[in-house]
Amino acid sequence: FISQTCIAPNRFLVHSSVEKQFATALKEALEKQIVIGDPRQKGITMGPLINKKQHDRVSNSFIFSMF
C-alpha cells in the first residue's frame, strides 16, 4: 500500500516591498528541489497530477497569484 500526503502551503502573504526578491528566491529554491517526471525514475521528486481537475487547480493557482 502506497499513499502520499501534501503539506504544501496554498499561498504566501508577502509584503510588496519584498515581493520580487521573494518570488525570485522561491523560484530558485523550487528549481533546485523539484524535478518533475516519471516517479519510478531515479532523481524524480514530483510525479504527474492525479487528474485534470487537480491540474486545473494547480494551474489556476499560478495564474491567479500573478494578479
Side-chain angles (χ1 to χ4, degrees):
F1 179 73
I2 299 174
S3 65
Q4 56 182 300
T5 302
C6 179
I7 57 170
N10 291 348
R11 62 183 61 102
F12 296 97
L13 299 177
V14 179
H15 193 275
S16 60
S17 66
V18 295
E19 177 182 3
K20 289 184 181 179
Q21 295 97 328
F22 177 83
T24 300
L26 179 62
K27 179 179 182 281
E28 289 173 358
L30 293 175
E31 287 175 341
K32 289 178 185 175
Q33 296 177 20
I34 297 177
V35 181
I36 299 171
D38 184 340
R40 296 171 293 187
Q41 294 180 354
K42 185 176 182 176
I44 301 299
T45 59
M46 182 176 178
L49 297 173
I50 188 111
N51 56 35
K52 183 174 180 345
K53 181 180 176 183
Q54 186 64 16
H55 175 272
D56 292 346
R57 180 176 176 228
V58 171
S59 295
N60 287 334
S61 300
F62 287 103
I63 292 167
F64 293 125
S65 70
M66 299 299 153
F67 299 103

